[in-house]
Amino acid sequence: MIDLDEYKMNPCKLSPIPYWKARTFKIPNNISVIHDEEYNLSPSSSSSDTLYFRLKHNLKSVELIPLDKMFEYGNVDVTSISDLKEIVSIINKSYRDIQVDLEQVISWTKLKVFNENLWIFIIHKNTQKPVGLGIAEWDKEVAEGMLEWIQVLPEYRGRKLGEAIVTKLLANLANHVDFVTVSGQVKIRQSLKNFIVNVDLKEKIYGILYQRDKIY
């Protein structure tokens, strides 16, 4: 069991996942999670490694990135099947290896860390269609915010919309939590470095986590 006070001091070092998930999730026996500080660069030939990042933002400085005039923010209506289907569409168009369905998205609204004010779209003013999505969560026990989904449709990338979503969610969380975490997979360290620079995480503590899968 993770100690809550220790987790708050350095969540990225202590756990690869948020506290509320760590309390119930058991890492499978064939997987070990290794922090960057303890990582062995010569892994066993009987294992394969996948690199993940986890970042912490202390919310001491959050600068909103302005949207291009052709876009605006919109709140997701979580009671609207149409809006939830738009979320499914945006996520599935944004990834080749990750696909979700409507049932999964609905299940996220049942989680104890769900907050409808942390589900946002970026809307194209001309079409009134969502082109970007941001979903964050709020753990009131820990006073932690978590960025869960940040997506922009491929044809609208390169316009700083993803960065705008991140800073908007950070601002929405700033008055409610002590810190915000975000995690995801990176293929090389440079990708992590670029992520930090692009999102401008000035008050950052980051850990690089390795999921080591044993090959039998």
Side-chain angles (χ1 to χ4, degrees):
M1 182 66 180
I2 295 176
D3 180 83
L4 179 55
D5 290 332
E6 290 183 10
Y7 175 83
K8 287 182 177 181
M9 290 179 63
N10 196 344
C12 300
K13 174 67 182 293
L14 201 62
S15 175
I17 55 179
Y19 180 80
W20 76 273
K21 290 182 181 179
R23 293 183 64 180
T24 58
F25 179 75
K26 186 179 186 302
I27 296 176
N29 292 331
N30 66 315
I31 292 177
S32 59
V33 179
I34 307 161
H35 193 273
D36 186 48
E37 293 178 3
E38 289 85 35
Y39 180 64
N40 179 357
L41 292 177
S42 301
S44 166
S45 59
S46 62
S47 68
S48 64
D49 294 345
T50 305
L51 175 62
Y52 292 83
F53 68 83
R54 190 159 193 239
L55 305 173
K56 173 187 174 185
H57 196 300
N58 290 322
L59 300 172
K60 293 180 181 178
S61 174
V62 178
E63 297 180 16
L64 286 173
I65 294 178
L67 287 177
D68 184 287
K69 62 182 179 180
M70 70 174 61
F71 302 104
E72 63 185 355
Y73 292 109
N75 293 324
V76 176
D77 180 355
V78 297
T79 67
S80 165
I81 294 299
S82 175
D83 274 14
L84 298 181
K85 286 183 176 179
E86 289 284 4
I87 290 174
V88 172
S89 176
I90 290 173
I91 291 175
N92 290 348
K93 289 178 179 178
S94 298
Y95 294 103
R96 294 181 178 178
D97 56 345
I98 298 176
Q99 299 287 285
V100 301
D101 56 35
L102 182 60
E103 184 178 355
Q104 283 177 279
V105 174
I106 292 173
S107 73
W108 302 338
T109 69
K110 311 299 182 185
L111 298 173
K112 72 171 189 174
V113 291
F114 164 74
N115 186 291
E116 64 181 350
N117 296 319
L118 300 174
W119 288 44
I120 62 174
F121 283 135
I122 287 185
I123 307 290
H124 194 296
K125 291 181 180 179
N126 290 342
T127 64
Q128 285 300 298
K129 295 287 289 182
V131 301
L133 166 70
I135 295 178
E137 296 174 337
W138 174 11
D139 186 343
K140 295 181 180 179
E141 179 184 4
V142 183
E144 175 183 7
M146 297 144 287
L147 304 184
E148 287 295 319
W149 295 94
I150 310 294
Q151 276 76 41
V152 176
L153 290 176
E155 59 267 37
Y156 290 96
R157 292 174 186 169
R159 307 186 190 201
K160 296 187 178 293
L161 298 182
E163 297 164 47
I165 292 170
V166 169
T167 57
K168 177 66 172 174
L169 289 174
L170 291 176
N172 288 356
L173 283 160
N175 292 327
H176 305 290
V177 301
D178 295 332
F179 61 92
V180 174
T181 55
V182 59
S183 60
Q185 184 177 343
V186 291
K187 298 187 181 300
I188 56 174
R189 289 175 184 266
Q190 187 61 36
S191 298
L192 175 59
K193 183 177 179 181
N194 289 342
F195 178 89
I196 293 170
V197 171
N198 290 341
V199 181
D200 193 23
L201 296 176
K202 294 180 179 178
E203 300 293 336
K204 60 185 179 291
I205 301 172
Y206 64 91
I208 302 174
L209 302 160
Y210 295 80
Q211 173 181 297
R212 177 162 293 181
D213 299 285
K214 296 178 183 177
I215 301 174
Y216 296 104

